[in-house]
Amino acid sequence: MSVPQERKLVTQIPGPKSEELHTRTKAAVSAGVGVGLPVYIERAGGGILVDVDGNQLIDLGSGIAVTSVGNAAPKVVERAQAQLEDFTHTCFMVTPYEEYVAVAETLNELTPGTHEKRTALFNSGAEAVENAVKIARSATKRDAIVVFDHAYHGRTNLTMALTAKNMPYKKGFGPFAGEVYRMPMAYPYRWSGDAETITEDAFTAFTNAVHAQVGEEHVAAVLIEPIQGEGGFIVPPKGWLGRIADWCREHGIVFIADEVQTGFCRTGDWFACEAEGVVPDLITTAKGIAGGLPLAAVTGRAEIMDAVHAGGLGGTYGGNPVACAAALGSIETMKDEDLAGKARRIEQIFRERLEAMAEKHGVIGEIRGRGAMMAVEIVTPGTTQPDADLTKKVNAACHRQGVVTLTAGTYGNVLRFLPPLVIGEDLLHEGLDVLDTAFAESL
Ligand code: PLZ
């Protein structure tokens, strides 16, 4: 690996060259595009990002759960490079190519369930979600889509409607697409009782509300993230997903799992639904699929996927050959290096270290997540009152010390960790040392 796997700070963060570039950004790039940490990256590999000033930062974000195989992962680069030299684009709808088919075959095999499946490829998570909705509507001849509190599904018009949070995703961007109904989400930290009671209560609230407000017979699909991502890494209680999936089957409703963030070994399985033995009708994937190249997919039951009229799905770039080649390299890496196992090991390390921190710093209300998708919810000690300001402070303190962390959550009070699955354990521990200090400093 050409990028040295160590943290090294040679300037303040951000350094002078990054600051210069950021001045250009402000003059050239829409202010609507936010930047979390204005450190400009020159090279990256494994668990390290190297900036233009020569600082080496520990990556606990993977570009929001994308570079699970590491940045510029060898097999991704090799396959994408070879493909670049062969051809870069034909449009699969005009003259197709094998790489697209190979990705579809791989997804049909890897995703939960042994039923016959089909796949369609797109460019982004939002586009995959939009298409999953189109497919479900076309197959059921129904309109309504049911989503949940705290959900995140994208920034296009339909996916904004599916997304729960106003700021920054929806504010001022309406009117939104119709026939979207939001239901309560089983959020254990903010719902009283044990797991079984929460599942039961939330499920009753959910089914009653759908029945009263929508009518089961109008519902085309229920769309859910098996672990909510942007909403704050909310892990629902055991049984919740399965209850919903069963209820969907009973009512002829398509159960769509949005695994854009949770998929591809991130949670310690190929897909997060597997931990509960839940088999979705349709599954949306993106992010980790192609090691950093834009690719997304909808995979699902053949009879649902094939219900759409010929020509009804597509797009100029969907399933671009270079992105497909990268995906094949990324998936091969996940298999060869048992990255699902690595994700489980990362969870162990995080839990142990975060629990110790929670004991020391009374502001950690909950530690949660699965695999290499871990988070802490930060609250006023002794209460469940969200502390978004402190969350920002701790996040910024990590950044200043060269550790890239991310925030999340409906209330902005979740600090989340999405390291590349190939990150070395020493780097993880060092990142966690920095986090520990960041808490101590910020309180
Ligand atoms: N579904 C579950 O997590 C993307 C968004 C970051 P795109 N999450 C990161 C931001 O602020 O824009 C996401 C997701 C889930 C869909 C999406 C959308 O995926 O590839 O960003 O369109």
Side-chain angles (χ1 to χ4, degrees):
M1 199 171 290
S2 63
V3 176
Q5 295 298 295
E6 58 176 320
R7 180 174 65 117
K8 191 174 90 181
L9 297 183
V10 295
T11 69
Q12 282 204 325
I13 300 289
K17 287 188 183 158
S18 276
E19 280 184 341
E20 220 176 286
L21 278 167
H22 206 53
T23 306
R24 279 171 56 193
T25 293
K26 284 186 194 143
V29 179
S30 162
V33 181
V35 172
L37 169 58
V39 153
Y40 287 73
I41 302 307
E42 199 170 70
R43 259 175 340 127
I48 291 287
L49 304 167
V50 185
D51 77 9
V52 287
D53 291 288
N55 298 297
Q56 295 173 194
L57 295 89
I58 298 178
D59 184 8
L60 298 185
S62 304
I64 324 190
V66 172
T67 50
S68 301
V69 293
N71 235 303
K75 280 181 185 145
V76 171
V77 173
E78 195 183 303
R79 295 242 199 175
Q81 232 155 25
Q83 184 57 46
L84 273 168
E85 282 165 25
D86 287 345
F87 66 94
T88 47
H89 174 83
T90 61
C91 184
F92 191 77
M93 303 183 305
V94 178
T95 48
Y97 39 87
E98 184 181 354
E99 291 72 15
Y100 188 119
V101 184
V103 170
E105 287 168 346
T106 306
L107 288 175
N108 294 347
E109 192 192 308
L110 283 177
T111 50
T114 52
H115 51 278
E116 196 171 338
K117 293 175 211 155
R118 301 282 187 270
T119 286
L121 299 180
F122 304 97
N123 302 291
S124 68
E127 208 190 339
V129 172
E130 288 239 12
N131 278 281
V133 168
K134 280 167 65 175
I135 293 163
R137 283 178 168 159
S138 174
T140 57
K141 302 187 171 57
R142 301 173 180 179
D143 292 335
I145 306 297
V146 170
V147 291
F148 293 88
D149 285 335
H150 314 289
Y152 183 91
H153 298 291
R155 292 174 181 266
T156 58
N157 186 264
L158 173 58
T159 57
M160 275 192 293
L162 302 169
T163 289
K165 196 176 174 182
N166 176 43
M167 258 308 271
Y169 309 124
K170 301 169 80 165
K171 189 179 180 223
F173 297 145
F176 304 112
E179 285 308 306
V180 172
Y181 299 89
R182 191 167 310 286
M183 297 298 158
M185 174 69 190
Y187 182 168
Y189 182 62
R190 297 189 177 277
W191 199 305
S192 59
D194 58 15
E196 216 168 299
T197 315
I198 298 168
T199 297
E200 202 52 49
D201 290 358
F203 183 70
T204 306
F206 164 77
T207 49
N208 285 347
V210 174
H211 183 75
Q213 297 173 29
V214 199
E216 296 83 347
E217 70 278 19
H218 296 129
V219 180
V222 170
L223 169 66
I224 190 165
E225 302 155 82
I227 297 175
Q228 291 183 316
E230 304 305 302
F233 287 17
I234 301 166
V235 185
K238 246 194 162 21
W240 167 248
L241 275 186
R243 287 292 290 275
I244 294 175
D246 290 346
W247 176 88
C248 283
R249 199 162 310 119
E250 224 172 278
H251 294 283
I253 296 167
V254 178
F255 179 78
I256 309 173
D258 181 352
E259 293 235 22
V260 165
Q261 190 153 167
T262 50
F264 293 100
C265 301
R266 177 55 54 186
T267 64
D269 288 297
W270 277 101
F271 299 97
C273 280
E274 289 169 48
E276 299 225 32
V278 169
V279 176
D281 297 315
L282 300 182
I283 177 167
T284 54
T285 54
K287 290 192 186 276
I289 188 174
L293 276 84
L295 187 70
V298 182
T299 301
R301 294 188 186 280
E303 64 275 18
I304 299 175
M305 296 293 294
D306 285 342
V308 180
H309 52 279
L313 304 175
T316 306
Y317 294 112
N320 167 273
V322 182
C324 284
L328 295 171
S330 162
I331 292 167
E332 190 186 331
T333 307
M334 289 176 189
K335 284 183 180 163
D336 289 354
E337 299 184 16
D338 181 26
L339 293 191
K342 290 256 169 65
R344 294 193 290 271
R345 172 72 187 137
I346 290 171
E347 173 173 351
Q348 264 178 3
I349 294 174
F350 265 95
R351 280 204 185 275
E352 204 170 293
R353 296 289 312 267
L354 293 173
E355 272 158 24
M357 284 182 225
E359 260 174 48
K360 246 196 309 191
H361 319 291
V363 295
I364 297 180
E366 189 179 48
I367 298 161
R368 61 175 179 249
R370 194 185 297 151
M373 184 172 180
M374 295 299 296
V376 289
E377 177 150 359
I378 298 175
V379 294
T380 307
T383 72
T384 57
Q385 192 61 40
D387 194 339
D389 288 340
L390 179 61
T391 309
K392 274 196 209 93
K393 263 171 85 175
V394 176
N395 195 43
C398 288
H399 292 176
R400 279 196 302 277
Q401 289 307 313
V403 177
V404 181
T405 47
L406 304 170
T407 59
T410 298
Y411 315 109
N413 68 323
V414 174
L415 202 57
R416 59 170 159 167
F417 312 102
L418 292 160
L421 307 180
V422 295
I423 194 170
E425 292 192 9
D426 49 338
L427 278 187
L428 267 191
H429 279 292
E430 195 179 343
L432 285 158
D433 291 341
V434 167
L435 175 68
D436 197 0
T437 311
F439 269 113
E441 270 176 24
S442 308
L443 290 173

